[in-house]
Amino acid sequence: MDSTDSVYQDIAKRRAVILASIQDAARAPLAATEPHLVAISKKQPDMRIDAALQLGQRIFGENRVQEAQNRWTDRKETYPDLQLRLVGPLQTNKAEDAVSFFDVIETLDRPKLARALAKAAQKTGHRPEIFIQVNTGEEPQKAGVLPEELPDLIAFARSL
């Protein structure tokens, strides 16, 4: 067995365990929607990404816009059903690139970024899903809007 086969089998085993856990969670009484596996692909070698794609994984999260563009631009042509999610912090100067490239942006955490995303969506015509990141632990070293500021950010974002 060569290293490519070993990587493929490793990814297949790990993915099967995770998908089984997701299915169990989906049967829980509080499951409101069907859960999905988001594979975080940052710093993973191409061999592992390609193995996950071969196994049917189509939802991937990336931390940085430029790294995602480098990694996924060609793959988006090969796999048109890919869903790419920005899961890392976003600087306002990268908002247009993020809006153009990602299907989902999970890290809206401030009004300035909401304005930049709205402007980028208007300019590009692309409208990714946008999630607000909440710092539920109110930890200063972590990103996300504080819980008490969340209603105002939601109202502001909706107004845009």
Side-chain angles (χ1 to χ4, degrees):
M1 176 184 334
D2 69 13
S3 65
T4 303
D5 290 339
S6 175
V7 166
Y8 183 87
Q9 289 179 358
D10 179 54
I11 299 272
K13 267 195 261 183
R14 290 172 185 241
R15 187 169 185 266
V17 168
I18 293 167
L19 289 174
S21 294
I22 288 172
Q23 289 207 337
D24 287 346
R27 287 191 284 273
L30 297 177
T33 61
E34 182 180 337
H36 302 282
L37 173 60
V38 178
I40 305 301
S41 48
K42 75 174 190 172
K43 298 185 181 183
Q44 292 298 313
D46 285 341
M47 184 185 318
R48 294 183 69 81
I49 299 300
D50 292 335
L53 286 164
Q54 290 172 17
L55 287 161
Q57 181 64 38
R58 292 296 184 271
I59 306 173
F60 289 87
E62 284 281 348
N63 277 20
R64 295 199 166 104
V65 176
Q66 188 172 357
E67 288 177 19
Q69 290 169 323
N70 291 338
R71 173 172 294 189
W72 294 104
T73 297
D74 292 339
R75 288 182 173 110
K76 283 176 87 171
E77 292 178 22
T78 306
Y79 299 95
D81 58 339
L82 271 177
Q83 183 188 88
L84 299 176
R85 294 170 167 248
L86 179 63
V87 297
L90 178 60
Q91 299 170 333
T92 55
N93 66 334
K94 305 265 184 185
E96 189 173 325
D97 288 340
V99 164
S100 297
F101 192 75
F102 289 98
D103 302 295
V104 179
I105 297 172
E106 297 191 5
T107 55
L108 172 58
D109 63 354
R110 61 197 182 280
K112 183 178 179 183
L113 181 56
R115 270 192 297 281
L117 292 171
K119 182 179 176 185
Q122 186 171 16
K123 181 177 179 182
T124 65
H126 191 250
R127 289 180 170 50
E129 278 189 84
I130 297 178
F131 297 159
I132 293 178
Q133 181 179 11
V134 182
N135 183 343
T136 58
E138 301 183 30
E139 300 170 68
Q141 74 276 17
K142 294 196 176 171
V145 64
L146 295 174
E148 64 270 10
E149 297 170 2
L150 180 59
D152 289 341
L153 182 57
I154 291 171
F156 181 74
R158 284 184 174 161
S159 75
L160 298 174

